[in-house]
Each structure stands twice: as structure tokens, then as C-alpha cells.
Amino acid sequence: MFTSCQSDRISSEEYLVINKAIGHILQPYGIVAFDNTKEFNDIVKNNGINPSHMSQEDLKKLNEIVSMRRGYEFAIEDTLAETDTKSGKYTYDLRSDSIVPIKEKISKTVMDSAMLRFPENYIRVKTIRNPETFLGKIKLERVIFDESKEKALVFYTKCKKMENKECMFNTISLIKKHNEWYIRH
């Protein structure tokens, strides 16, 4: 008796979703913490940002400037964990996003690092070099695609420590419009 050990390969579409999810997970949303008010005042003054009426674009610009100055660090596991939509932990997300999965179970597999894209000035590390700029360690599960291939879910874990401590679990919902993946809020 022969059994197939062939794993589900990561498609280019799955890498697009993974990369979009990673960018979303790593973004420090809202106003980033500043060591002093001088740094904040310099950034807003030199970039035409009104600190009392900041738009989403202003916040994004602020985050980009700070990330260039600080060089945020993060870690990510190379293996995408198995996804089993019948396990129950996806029930709410699948229902709320009206997703009918193409596959119920997708086996774990190792990502090709060359296919991963990270936000500019974010550094992938194996050990924390600077705890103040470490954003966390990420572990992703395989992407759940809808039968239409226009919706996707990514379940992930993000830990504050390399030792998988102080972790949060979350799901990212994505939708494809005009051949581009977007985070659904």
C-alpha cells in the first residue's frame, strides 16, 4: 500500500495573500510611541502634518517615517501551519464573511523566503537585537480561500516574545477587487 506524502503547495495567489497579511500584522496602527515630544514635533513640522487633525494618510506617513528611523524588527516562522476549517475555530469568521472554503483541510508546508515581501525598513530577525523596536513573532496558518477565489481568511498568532509568550490570536479577512487583495475591516 502506497500513501502520497505530497503536501499542498503554496500558490502564487496564496503568497499574495500572505504578504498582504504580513504587512497588515506588522503595521503599528495609530500613533506610535515616541521617546520624547521633540521627535514627534520634528516629524510633524518637517512633513506638513497637523498634529491636532491627523488623517489616516497622516498616520500612515508618520508610521513610515518612524519605521525608517527605528528599523522595526520582527520574526516569522517559516512553516505555515495546517488549516482545518472543520475544527470549529473558524466557524464565526467563515459565517460572518460568507466564505465557503475550497478545501476543508490544507496541510502544513514551508514557505519560500524568496516569495515573502515585508514592509520597507522592517527587519526579519532570528533573535531580538533591540527589544524596543521588536514588533513580535508571527506564525501563520494556511490561507482559506472561498470557492469564488475572491475572499480569503488567514488565521495567525502574534507573540510579544520569541519564546511564544504573551500571544494573541486573530484572523484577517481579505477580499479581491480588480485583481488586488485588500484587507476587509
Side-chain angles (χ1 to χ4, degrees):
M1 179 176 205
F2 293 100
T3 1
S4 172
C5 294
Q6 182 183 11
S7 67
D8 292 316
R9 291 180 106 70
I10 302 173
S11 68
S12 58
E13 198 71 20
E14 189 170 6
Y15 275 115
L16 290 174
V17 171
I18 289 166
N19 286 326
K20 185 64 83 169
I22 290 169
H24 179 76
I25 295 165
L26 291 176
Q27 285 300 318
Y29 288 103
I31 297 175
V32 295
F34 290 93
D35 296 332
N36 57 56
T37 54
K38 182 185 179 330
E39 180 187 18
F40 174 77
N41 290 333
D42 287 346
I43 292 172
V44 296
K45 179 182 166 195
N46 294 332
N47 292 281
I49 298 172
N50 181 349
S52 59
H53 292 48
M54 292 206 310
S55 67
Q56 288 291 76
E57 285 302 310
D58 290 337
L59 289 172
K60 184 177 178 184
K61 182 188 277 187
L62 187 63
N63 283 330
E64 288 172 356
I65 293 165
V66 171
S67 74
M68 288 181 74
R69 287 180 173 201
R70 295 184 183 168
Y72 288 120
E73 297 177 353
F74 70 97
I76 187 168
E77 288 194 16
D78 289 326
T79 301
L80 290 175
E82 175 184 271
T83 299
D84 184 355
T85 60
K86 293 293 184 188
S87 71
K89 73 179 179 182
Y90 306 99
T91 305
Y92 174 78
D93 295 305
L94 291 170
R95 273 196 204 133
S96 65
D97 288 337
S98 302
I99 293 180
V100 177
I102 291 174
K103 292 183 177 182
E104 290 178 1
K105 194 170 189 173
I106 311 164
S107 61
K108 71 178 183 176
T109 192
V110 177
M111 293 185 284
D112 177 357
S113 293
M115 297 294 288
L116 298 177
R117 305 288 175 260
F118 308 119
E120 193 173 339
N121 300 310
Y122 284 59
I123 304 157
R124 181 180 182 183
V125 296
K126 297 275 185 204
T127 57
I128 300 172
R129 298 186 300 195
N130 183 355
E132 293 172 12
T133 59
F134 185 69
L135 296 174
K137 180 180 179 183
I138 302 167
K139 181 177 181 177
L140 301 164
E141 290 189 14
R142 295 297 299 267
V143 177
I144 300 170
F145 286 101
D146 185 57
E147 289 177 338
S148 68
K149 286 257 186 170
E150 301 294 316
K151 295 178 185 178
L153 284 177
V154 180
F155 189 82
Y156 70 93
T157 305
K158 183 177 179 184
C159 302
K160 288 185 180 182
K161 312 270 185 202
M162 282 290 211
E163 308 81 41
N164 297 326
K165 294 184 179 173
E166 297 178 49
C167 301
M168 66 168 221
F169 309 93
N170 210 340
T171 306
I172 298 175
S173 178
L174 300 98
I175 189 163
K176 190 175 187 182
K177 292 181 184 175
H178 310 292
N179 221 19
E180 179 84 22
W181 286 100
Y182 296 93
I183 305 294
R184 294 174 73 183
H185 297 282

